Amino acid sequence: MTDTVFTDEQLEAGRKLFARPVAFVKGVVNRGALPAGGRPEFAFAGRSNVGKSSLINALCNRKTLARASNTPGRTQEINFFDVAEGRFWMVDLPGYGFASAPKKNVQVWSQLNLNYLRSRSKLKRVFVLIDSRRGLGDVDRGVMEQLDSAAAHYQVVLTKTDKIKKSEVAEVIAATKAALMKQPAAHPHVLATSSEKGIGMPELRATILSLA
Ligand code: GDP
């Protein structure tokens, strides 16, 4: 269901990479506390409830590595996970688009994220998670504009595709790709996933390996 094609060898190498240890290292609330760069890193962004924690857990074959960030307080943190003992950082960016979040929180979120995006020279890709039932929303477009202006490469990952029909998945992929053509820093390929069913996880692992 995804348009990114990998060989069996690449998928297997991705599986092996994510079978190695993954550990939560720190939650960061201000720029000064960002860990040293120096290794490749991959960030995950998305509206709250998009399925970001579930995806990070599924990617790493864990159940409780990333916690659902359903309280606005926790959304302020950028969480760093070490993958494969120093091979790369996996970075869980604060969820955005809380209906109940005060405006001030949204701004703090943006500033911390912008600082992060602009200061990480080895940030290889930001995966922007989009709920496949909703498609791209205004808040997502706003975040993509921030990524464009920070010149941070990003790729859309559709979540929860098990909840819609295959034909609908194809439609949302097509609509998303069409919208992304206008975004300069967007990767043209869209990954369709379901953390619940494990769909798209091998491809996402192989994508990360190809850039790490
Ligand atoms: P986060 O706020 O982005 O971290 O979202 P969560 O990972 O906590 O997921 C939000 C809700 O969506 C939870 O109830 C999950 O069980 C559900 N969910 C996440 N991923 C999937 C999926 O692939 N399929 C289905 N059916 N539900 C999912």
Side-chain angles (χ1 to χ4, degrees):
M1 190 45 79
T2 171
D3 56 7
T4 310
V5 181
F6 291 99
T7 64
D8 288 348
E9 287 75 19
Q10 287 171 315
L11 295 173
E12 175 59 10
R15 187 193 66 75
K16 279 193 180 146
L17 177 64
F18 278 87
R20 296 191 58 195
V22 182
F24 172 73
V25 174
K26 70 191 297 196
V28 170
V29 292
N30 61 57
R31 182 184 197 163
L34 290 169
R39 49 176 113 156
E41 60 192 83
F42 301 88
F44 294 80
R47 282 182 76 104
S48 65
N49 227 33
V50 70
K52 184 156 54 67
S53 313
S54 304
L55 182 116
I56 290 172
N57 288 333
L59 197 60
C60 302
N61 307 296
R62 305 295 180 89
K63 286 208 160 65
T64 54
L65 185 67
R67 285 170 292 164
S69 48
N70 282 332
T71 44
R74 270 191 52 84
T75 66
Q76 304 302 310
E77 281 184 11
I78 297 183
N79 289 312
F80 283 80
F81 299 89
D82 169 75
V83 183
E85 296 165 315
R87 177 78 193 273
F88 62 87
W89 289 119
M90 205 164 61
V91 183
D92 185 4
L93 294 173
Y96 53 78
F98 269 107
S100 61
K103 262 241 147 49
K104 187 168 164 279
N105 277 4
V106 176
Q107 266 153 29
V108 170
W109 182 94
S110 299
Q111 198 52 53
L112 178 60
N113 275 282
L114 283 179
N115 287 339
Y116 165 78
L117 294 168
R118 289 183 179 146
S119 65
R120 308 299 280 187
S121 62
K122 296 196 97 178
L123 176 61
K124 299 291 180 186
R125 192 164 290 177
V126 180
F127 294 103
V128 178
L129 276 49
I130 303 289
D131 190 323
S132 58
R133 296 167 303 176
R134 304 173 65 134
L136 285 183
D138 288 345
V139 208
D140 303 307
R141 287 175 208 274
V143 165
M144 286 178 186
E145 270 161 32
Q146 287 190 323
L147 292 167
D148 285 325
S149 61
H153 291 288
Y154 58 95
Q155 178 168 16
V156 168
V157 175
L158 298 172
T159 61
K160 311 187 191 179
T161 60
D162 60 285
K163 289 202 170 188
I164 59 174
K165 293 187 203 132
K166 283 206 167 125
S167 58
E168 291 171 327
V169 177
E171 278 166 29
V172 69
I173 289 178
T176 307
K177 284 173 81 164
L180 291 175
M181 281 168 67
K182 299 180 200 113
Q183 311 290 142
H187 192 276
H189 289 162
V190 169
L191 279 166
T193 68
S194 161
S195 304
E196 197 133 306
K197 306 274 186 224
I199 297 166
M201 294 306 134
E203 290 78 10
L204 188 47
R205 293 185 191 115
T207 300
I208 290 172
L209 178 61
S210 72
L211 299 165

